[in-house]
Amino acid sequence: MIRRALFRSKYGDLVLFSILALCWGTSFVAIEIGLEYVPPLLFAGLRYGVAGLIVLGYAAVVTDRFRPIDRAEWLSVGVAGIFLIAIYHALLYLGELYVSGAIAATVASTAPILTAAFAGAVLPREQLSLAGVVGLVLGLLGVVAVVRPSPTGLETELLLGAGLVFGAAIAFAVGTVLTRPLDAGLPLETLQAWAMLIGAAVLLVGAPLRGERLAAIDVTSTALLSFTYLTLVSSVFAFLLYFQLLDRAGPTQVALVGYAEPAVAIGVSWVLLGYVVDSLTILGLLTILAGFAAIKRRHLARVVDTLFEEESDQRPSVGSRLPQEPSEARTDGGTPQEADAVGAERSAD
């Protein structure tokens, strides 16, 4: 019998999960549309510059520290800003010059798998098990199914775009793992805001080096709508929602949003742009999801187990029963933060 309180919260979490997946899944399509009018690095830099200022204002209101104060804290936000905002979004936006938002979302969904693989390579306590290695292989096979390398012109362009997005996923993995030992104790909202601002600065410096100019921006109603949506909905509103869902459901459940995003992107691409993905792309996405399930199998099993446990007054709440793990950075510009519990059990996933 499902506990009544859990039953009520489960559907509340499901609503938050669905809204978050919608906000972030549609962002890939909004980027694709906006790139018709705005150069990629300028587009990403301006988006996160504005979003960072808004989130910083929010952090100043709801937290006790709205800026880093020592070297460790500046190092933490610097690594997050450079890898998770600047490099990730530079490669993502450049990649979407060649592939659709639906394809980009599918390839980017390998990021949590690559994070686990990179963590296993450099952090002794997180070495991949055999099932983890299988998960990594499945993730890579999923990308191959999406890209389908071919010498013809169209497939070569697809390969270039997918390669850039896959590079973005690698940057995500590296940035996520590098920030784990740098837990500076900053509130997540403050860390997020400064990472956005630092990442935006790097992107805006890089834009002219690539030859991008403000004069190249074609200011149309579509461009303004895309920019406003990405800034206010996908970057500000969605991250405030993410903070709440992370507190309620925990990092493993929230990580599953990344696998709903491609489905949303595929549906929105079809509705707005008439773009239809083929069966191999769907197969690739399912293969990537299977890879994630293999790597996170134990935490996922605990989540399912908890949902259907019998009611007992002596049992703790859902969030407290699940062993904590570091929350993953978001592939839409989020930053990781270690779980609050001191000495929390680490899984062997």
Side-chain angles (χ1 to χ4, degrees):
M1 177 181 178
I2 301 176
R3 296 186 302 180
R4 293 177 183 175
L6 177 58
F7 184 83
R8 289 194 298 268
S9 66
K10 180 180 70 172
Y11 286 99
D13 291 349
L14 180 61
V15 171
L16 295 180
F17 182 98
S18 301
I19 296 173
L20 191 58
L22 182 64
C23 291
W24 278 337
T26 51
S27 68
F28 291 93
V29 182
I31 291 169
E32 178 184 358
I33 294 172
L35 285 172
E36 296 288 332
Y37 308 95
V38 188
L41 300 192
L42 278 175
F43 194 6
L46 292 171
R47 168 193 175 184
Y48 279 104
V50 175
L53 290 174
I54 295 173
V55 176
L56 182 62
Y58 175 78
V61 173
V62 302
T63 71
D64 57 354
R65 279 200 299 145
F66 68 95
R67 67 180 180 87
I69 59 175
D70 58 28
R71 181 178 179 181
E73 292 180 353
W74 281 112
L75 182 60
S76 180
V77 298
V79 169
I82 291 171
F83 282 93
L84 302 177
I85 301 295
I87 299 178
Y88 173 81
H89 285 89
L91 294 175
L92 173 64
Y93 279 56
L94 289 170
E96 287 208 42
L97 292 174
Y98 305 99
V99 297
S100 69
I103 296 296
T106 303
V107 175
S109 68
T110 59
I113 296 175
L114 295 173
T115 300
F118 187 65
V122 302
L123 301 177
R125 297 180 63 186
E126 299 192 32
Q127 290 184 354
L128 285 181
S129 63
L130 178 59
V133 174
V134 171
L136 174 61
V137 172
L138 286 173
L140 296 177
L141 288 176
V143 173
V144 172
V146 172
V147 177
R148 300 183 296 281
S150 168
T152 64
L154 181 61
E155 280 71 21
T156 300
E157 192 169 87
L158 173 63
L159 183 61
L160 173 60
L164 287 167
V165 178
F166 191 67
I170 293 174
F172 168 96
V174 172
T176 301
V177 174
L178 288 180
T179 55
R180 286 184 182 176
L182 301 176
D183 182 16
L186 276 174
L188 183 55
E189 295 85 352
T190 303
L191 176 62
Q192 180 66 48
W194 282 98
M196 284 181 171
L197 292 173
I198 290 172
V202 173
L203 287 164
L204 293 175
V205 168
L209 297 178
R210 188 178 172 270
E212 298 181 11
R213 297 290 183 269
L214 288 173
I217 297 175
D218 185 6
V219 181
T220 66
S221 58
T222 302
L224 290 173
L225 181 61
S226 172
F227 179 81
T228 302
Y229 181 84
L230 286 166
T231 302
L232 299 183
V233 178
S234 297
S235 298
V236 177
F237 170 74
F239 276 105
L240 299 182
L241 191 63
Y242 167 72
F243 300 148
Q244 182 177 359
L245 189 58
L246 184 63
D247 286 339
R248 288 168 59 111
T252 298
Q253 297 93 313
V254 175
L256 292 174
V257 174
Y259 296 94
E261 289 169 20
V264 172
I266 288 170
V268 174
S269 290
W270 174 64
V271 171
L272 294 183
L273 306 176
Y275 180 82
V276 180
V277 300
D278 56 26
S279 57
L280 276 177
T281 299
I282 301 297
L283 177 61
L285 174 58
L286 294 176
T287 305
I288 293 168
L289 177 58
F292 174 81
I295 290 175
K296 293 292 185 181
R297 66 199 183 282
R298 293 176 181 169
H299 271 84
L300 291 173
R302 293 188 189 104
V303 171
V304 174
D305 216 29
T306 303
L307 290 175
F308 292 96
E309 69 181 2
E310 290 192 355
E311 186 171 8
S312 171
D313 292 337
Q314 295 181 347
R315 292 181 186 268
S317 65
V318 178
S320 64
R321 288 193 72 251
L322 291 174
Q324 296 294 324
E325 61 175 330
S327 58
E328 301 293 355
R330 291 299 315 150
T331 55
D332 311 87
T335 55
Q337 175 151 306
E338 295 291 337
D340 292 333
V342 177
E345 175 190 349
R346 300 285 307 177
S347 80
D349 291 355

